[in-house]
Amino acid sequence: MRKLYSILAGVVLMLASQLSHAELHVLACEPEWASLATELGGDKLKVYSATNALQDPHHIEARPSLIARTRNADLLVCTGMELETGWLPVLLRQSGNARIAPGQPGNFVAGNYVEHLDVPSRLDRSEGDVHADGNPHIQQDPRNIAAVADALAKRLEQIDPADAAYYEARHKDFSARWNAAIAKWEKQAAPLKGVAVIEHHENMEYLLHWLGMHVVGTLEPKPGVEPSAAHLLQLLDHLQQQPAKMVLRAAYQDERASRWLADRAHIPAVVLPFTVGGDDRAKDLFGLFDDTVQRLLEGAK
Ligand SMILES: [Zn+2]
């Protein structure tokens, strides 16, 4: 009998400890925010990313497994700035989860905490996939990651006040390591200043802006419109007057147009991980920028 009591007591204790350590379910729209949430929330969070680095974040399918994840999420972490307009509203509607509806504490929009590039003075949808809030690919500047980290740590503390000290400590630790890493990357990337590139889609602006590089053309004739043969020929011609050092594309983008132009212009085609998981070295946010800077330096040689 005593043995049974002690077993029961053990079970009760175990259940109680599980309840007090209930994890927050975080659903990130993109891998970079999943990674950042993990940096800040450690084992207090169960983090899942709706997209991976080999998917175009503008377009994914709201599949049933993703709807289930959305239904039990306590916190949604997305870029916003219209990046997810093609799929997130559908997902939110189908999940019926009021905690993460727009405007709720459970709905965190990273784009609200950074400066926007490429905000159109005039919105003309005939110009392709143009976003009213500016270019949404903000994760490519590590200073934006720092700004989002500050806001996300506060949001975690608000949603889960019992663990506020834990989030605060992790945020402090992350910020120190992150700022040191930014200084290191900026030093390494000094030779990239002024280097001209061609990009596939207008999704490298924040990266190029950070490093003082510049774009002389895009493979897409208009944002979100696939490269055409006529446009590529024009670009090749344009490169005669305005040379570029490399053709950039993100890991999720088709390589053909990039290779075609690079081969004919005799410059390297460089693939960047673009987000966490984009290649073997981009295992976390630190690896993402370590690898990005390295690949740019190799391309500019
Ligand atoms: Zn885009």
Side-chain angles (χ1 to χ4, degrees), residues 110-123:
N112 288 350
Y113 304 97
V114 304
E115 238 177 85
H116 299 180
L117 297 179
D118 304 338
V119 178
S121 50
R122 182 181 66 92
L123 195 60

Side-chain angles (χ1 to χ4, degrees), residues 56-58 83 129 131 135-137 201-203 220 223-224 252 274:
D56 180 345
H58 299 90
L83 179 61
D129 226 341
H131 303 288
N135 192 312
H137 304 288
H201 170 70
E202 286 178 357
N203 58 3
E220 292 180 343
Y252 73 85
F274 190 64

Side-chain angles (χ1 to χ4, degrees), residues 154-168:
K154 284 204 190 83
R155 187 66 63 90
L156 287 169
E157 290 167 31
Q158 182 191 347
I159 292 181
D160 177 18
D163 290 315
Y166 176 84
Y167 298 126
E168 212 164 296

Side-chain angles (χ1 to χ4, degrees), residues 70-71 73-74 92-93 95-107:
T70 313
R71 197 166 289 140
D74 303 300
L92 285 173
R93 214 169 30 245
S95 77
N97 181 348
R99 280 168 308 183
I100 58 167
Q104 293 302 309
N107 186 303

Side-chain angles (χ1 to χ4, degrees), residues 2 22 42 78 116 184 188 191 212 227-228 234 238 253 257 280 299 301:
R2 268 178 81 169
C78 299
H116 299 180
K184 176 190 78 178
Q188 290 171 337
S228 63
Q234 237 172 42
H238 180 68
Q253 287 166 323
D280 288 349
K301 260 185 203 158

